[in-house]
Amino acid sequence: NLVLVGLGVLLWIFPGVGAALHPQETVLLRSLGLKARPSPRSPAPVPPWLWKMFQKRSEAPKESRNPCWVEEFQVPGNVIRIFPDQGHLIHREEPQSWICLQKRLYFNFSALEEREELTLAQLEIQFSHNQYQGSSLVHPFQLSLYRAPQMTLHGMSTHTYSRQLLVEQSFAHLHKSFAFNVTEVAKEWQTPSKNLGLFLEISLPASPKSSLCSKLDSMLSTSLLVVSLTPGQCKSPRRKRNAYYVPVSASNICKPRRLYISFTEVGWENWIIAPQGYLANYCLGECPFPLTEELNSTNHAILQTIPCCVPVRLSPISVLYYDNNDNVVLRHYEDMVVDECGCR
Ligand SMILES: *[C@@H]1O[C@H](CO)[C@@H](O)[C@H](O)[C@H]1NC(C)=O
Ligand SMILES: *[C@@H]1O[C@H](CO)[C@@H](O)[C@H](O)[C@H]1NC(C)=O
Ligand SMILES: *[C@@H]1O[C@H](CO)[C@@H](O)[C@H](O)[C@H]1NC(C)=O
């Protein structure tokens, strides 16, 4: 009774040299929750704090890894995405000299699945100003962030639509980054027609002649951090069915077998950032009948309950990758590594 189950199917991912791996690649992609192999075009570097999160996960003991909780932000979630801003500057017909820049911020949410539950959206605004001179101003900048309800066109006058102020903040240092909680607004963006983005305005009311003001645009970078829960994952722990373990003596008895999935060998190195692969393992081996329990069963009943060698304990992994929209994604997957096998 030799049965190959579960992740064992991935065994076939290992291509013999030149072998076609299409169906197997699809299986592996699906296990990562993806429909197709992403091909990022101009992905941004991974922010150092996201690397740290990934490393912390990978080094943590397996038992303490919770794929459904993001400790760093104290919210539920198994996917952390960084969306680059795809908005544009707004050029006004009658510029007011104290307004340094007006920008529409737009984040393409098409990567989010329909029923994905957004649990945190945090707007990150960063100024990269490396000159010491002028980095501390006498007159502070004023940053205002609005919800942008009807702004669709370039150069539209700010007075023709109503905008709702979300946050206002003044700052005097240009080597600074800001993080704003925009969870409530961003939840609406999962409906594409409601995703009108945000409106950012930075002004220098007290000192309209500053040369820094006009250069602000080139120093600004904005991105959106989104934590979410994908449907189907992170349900309540599954009921453990009874399984019996067999003594690990004979070599052909049911037990985990080593299987390393190399993302590089699969040809995924251009979109998977880390890890380079993972030890998936699979279950294989004989399951002897637990004769004592079955003594009075009919033959047919016995046949229906032939025990299979299956995973009974699995652990999660985390994968850092670029998706099709060049977003950086850190995703935690449940049940990816077979730790123990049993017969059931
Ligand atoms: C968002 O991204 C998707 C997939 O790349 C693309 O098809 C769509 O046109 C984008 N939407 C906007 C408004 O840019
Ligand atoms: C962010 O905002 C949401 C909705 O307004 C709120 O429920 C949540 O507690 C906030 N999170 C943080 C980290 O401030
Ligand atoms: C097997 O034996 C037990 C104990 O004698 C009995 O309770 C049970 O009903 C029997 N099962 C079948 C399928 O006959």
Side-chain angles (χ1 to χ4, degrees), residues 200-244:
L200 175 70
E201 185 176 276
I202 297 170
S203 58
L204 201 48
S207 167
K209 296 261 147 49
S210 168
S211 64
L212 267 180
C213 187
S214 55
K215 279 189 270 174
L216 214 52
D217 162 46
S218 59
M219 300 175 198
L220 174 76
S221 62
T222 41
S223 59
L224 188 75
L225 164 102
V226 172
V227 181
S228 59
L229 268 172
T230 50
Q233 270 205 62
C234 303
K235 300 236 177 80
S236 53
R238 283 158 308 154
R239 190 175 55 90
K240 266 206 167 177
R241 284 191 298 141
N242 287 336
Y244 61 91

Side-chain angles (χ1 to χ4, degrees), residues 41 52-53 71 207 217:
R41 272 150 297 177
K52 277 199 204 112
M53 264 176 88
E71 211 190 306
S207 167
D217 162 46

Side-chain angles (χ1 to χ4, degrees), residues 73-75 119-122 180-185 187:
F73 301 112
Q74 293 292 304
V75 288
T119 56
L120 177 75
Q122 187 171 290
F180 299 115
N181 181 354
V182 291
T183 309
E184 227 180 289
V185 187
K187 273 184 177 167

Side-chain angles (χ1 to χ4, degrees), residues 10 31 62 84 97 102 104 114 129 131 153 165 168 177 180 191 225 230 245 266 279 289:
L10 294 180
S31 79
K62 279 182 175 177
S97 58
Q102 287 182 318
R104 184 198 179 200
E114 209 173 301
H129 184 65
Q131 286 167 283
L153 300 172
L165 184 67
E168 212 164 22
S177 51
F180 299 115
T191 310
L225 164 102
T230 50
Y245 297 88
V266 183
L279 200 56
F289 282 100

